[in-house]
Amino acid sequence: ISLVFFFHSSVSHRFIAKPCALGLKVQANGPQKAQPNAILEKVFTAITKHPDEKRLEGLSKQLDWDVRSIQRWFRQRRNQEKPSTLTKFCESMWRFTFYLYIFTYGVRFLKKTPWLWNTRQCWNGYPYQPLMPDLHYYYIVELSFYWSLMFSQFIDIKRKDFGIMFTHHIVTVTLITFSYVTNLTRVGTLTLCLHDAADVVLEAAKMANYCKCQKLSDLLFLTFAIVFIVSRLGIYPLWILNTTLFELYEALGNFPALWVFNVLLVILQILHCFWSYLIIKAAYKAISKGKVAKDDRSDIESSSDEEETVPRSKTPHSTITTNGTGGANGTNGYLTGGTCSDEH
């Protein structure tokens, strides 16, 4: 099923998301490319993509460029390997479609269950609780999607918090699998639905940003910030952790799976706290400056010297035309200010 998600993602990108993006006039061009330079290209590909100060000074003498121009060349060279805005829009549209579908499915399913309104019902008759077909489908689809994210994170857009997202995917896949094997699926469905709520708004905010609908993007990001913080720092500990830490222990006593399950849930809460800090910081900037600030985990590097368009020779009268570097590189992160993940 994870491979099916890969297939559907590719089809969606090509035949649905891309036409929509072009219709909304989303830019297909990527970051500005660095001008060709054989010496710097050799260092970049064979030695390092992030030269230290000593190497920068050596290259500066060899090329008769100032250090800032060389730094800018390496930054642009790194950025040109990043995906275009069109590619990012297609990725967000695919994830938005999935999150909207699975969240709607989860809400419709849980409305008919007694444990939505009374979490103690999660433990009635445990572990001999029947696995309903709707619940089984919900779990398999969610697990398959997160497995697909595990595979695709190595080829998708790389972010500054790649390590944290990798940890999150590991914990999520482990939690879903462990709860399925141990039949802790009732509380699992509550956790899944709660997490999907914020992701729908996040992907919508990213699409609005890529379409350059700044006011809509800002509004959606602030909405996402509220939904994320309320659901992850409010409802999650008071609703999910309360029933797994206390009500489960009261109903069934102590058993090994209880502690493993709760350790994974607490790790998830620690990640929630970290992301909430980033979101609150971005939301504060949005309110104080009247717009959402730049994404702290933007996939495009930027610098204060972006206004310079050609490398300056250390010798005032020297001209360099073949080894120069191009102009400013744009920044376009997950959100023009949204500091949180994809995926959760």
Side-chain angles (χ1 to χ4, degrees):
I1 298 180
S2 297
L3 295 177
V4 171
F5 273 112
F6 271 124
F7 173 76
H8 279 294
S9 176
S10 300
V11 172
S12 173
H13 282 201
R14 177 171 295 185
F15 298 107
I16 301 176
K18 188 174 182 179
C20 289
L22 295 176
L24 293 170
K25 298 180 179 180
V26 176
Q27 294 180 355
N29 59 302
Q32 184 171 359
K33 294 184 178 181
Q35 292 188 7
N37 184 293
I39 295 175
L40 296 181
E41 184 68 25
K42 183 177 181 180
V43 173
F44 183 87
T45 56
I47 302 176
T48 178
K49 296 182 180 181
H50 299 270
D52 55 23
E53 185 177 348
K54 184 177 180 180
R55 190 175 298 278
L56 286 172
E57 290 177 355
L59 291 170
S60 176
K61 294 176 182 178
Q62 185 177 358
L63 296 173
D64 200 26
W65 287 16
D66 61 31
V67 171
R68 290 181 67 192
S69 296
I70 297 174
Q71 288 176 322
R72 186 167 59 253
W73 188 95
F74 273 92
R75 184 170 58 253
Q76 290 180 331
R77 182 63 181 84
R78 292 191 297 268
N79 286 341
Q80 77 183 45
E81 298 182 347
K82 304 296 182 179
S84 66
T85 304
L86 177 63
T87 302
K88 292 186 286 186
F89 178 90
C90 292
E91 178 188 306
S92 290
M93 186 171 182
W94 156 244
R95 294 188 180 186
F96 170 79
T97 303
F98 172 80
Y99 286 130
L100 181 61
Y101 164 73
I102 202 65
F103 176 69
T104 304
Y105 180 90
V107 170
R108 292 183 61 185
F109 167 72
L110 287 171
K111 280 196 307 182
K112 301 178 292 184
T113 63
W115 61 86
L116 174 64
W117 316 109
N118 180 10
T119 53
R120 292 184 182 274
Q121 290 292 326
C122 291
W123 321 118
N124 281 356
Y126 181 83
Y128 305 105
Q129 297 170 341
L131 184 63
M132 296 178 289
D134 289 348
L135 190 153
H136 175 75
Y137 171 80
Y138 189 25
Y139 248 73
I140 292 301
V141 171
E142 288 274 20
L143 180 60
S144 301
F145 179 72
Y146 280 105
W147 267 117
S148 73
L149 291 183
M150 281 282 291
F151 299 143
S152 64
Q153 67 183 336
F154 298 101
I155 57 175
D156 280 346
I157 303 166
K158 296 296 189 298
R159 303 293 178 182
K160 292 179 181 178
D161 62 349
F162 174 84
I164 297 174
M165 286 306 300
F166 181 75
T167 303
H168 174 268
H169 293 329
I170 290 290
V171 172
T172 302
V173 169
T174 305
L175 259 173
I176 296 174
T177 304
F178 183 80
S179 61
Y180 185 85
V181 171
T182 57
N183 206 26
L184 294 166
T185 51
R186 291 187 177 184
V187 72
T189 57
L190 298 178
T191 307
L192 290 170
C193 189
L194 183 65
H195 280 74
D196 290 334
D199 292 314
V200 176
V201 189
L202 173 61
E203 299 302 332
K206 289 191 282 184
M207 288 192 295
N209 176 63
Y210 299 146
C211 294
K212 296 186 177 179
C213 300
Q214 193 58 49
K215 290 184 179 180
L216 177 60
S217 177
D218 292 349
L219 177 62
L220 287 171
F221 171 69
L222 293 176
T223 302
F224 160 74
I226 294 172
V227 173
F228 186 95
I229 292 170
V230 169
S231 61
R232 308 292 177 92
L233 297 188
I235 300 176
Y236 179 80
L238 295 177
W239 193 36
I240 303 298
L241 290 182
N242 176 67
T243 192
T244 59
L245 287 171
F246 303 107
E247 293 177 354
L248 174 56
Y249 183 80
E250 292 174 6
L252 302 173
N254 190 12
F255 59 102
L258 180 150
W259 296 106
V260 175
F261 193 51
N262 278 305
V263 166
L264 293 170
L265 290 173
V266 169
I267 292 174
L268 205 57
Q269 180 62 10
I270 293 172
L271 295 175
H272 294 164
C273 293
F274 172 76
W275 282 318
S276 296
Y277 162 74
L278 296 180
I279 292 170
I280 292 171
K281 186 170 68 171
Y284 174 77
K285 291 180 181 179
I287 295 171
S288 62
K289 297 182 179 180
K291 64 179 180 179
V292 178
K294 176 181 171 295
D295 184 359
D296 284 347
R297 46 181 235 127
S298 171
D299 54 302
I300 304 298
E301 301 174 64
S302 62
S303 170
S304 60
D305 63 350
E306 287 173 349
E307 70 279 0
E308 300 181 40
T309 58
V310 295
R312 296 173 298 176
S313 171
K314 297 172 87 173
T315 306
H317 299 292
S318 173
T319 59
I320 302 176
T321 58
T322 60
N323 291 337
T325 182
N329 65 343
T331 60
N332 198 340
Y334 242 155
L335 277 171
T336 309
T339 50
C340 30
S341 146
D342 319 146
E343 350 297 350
H344 293 18

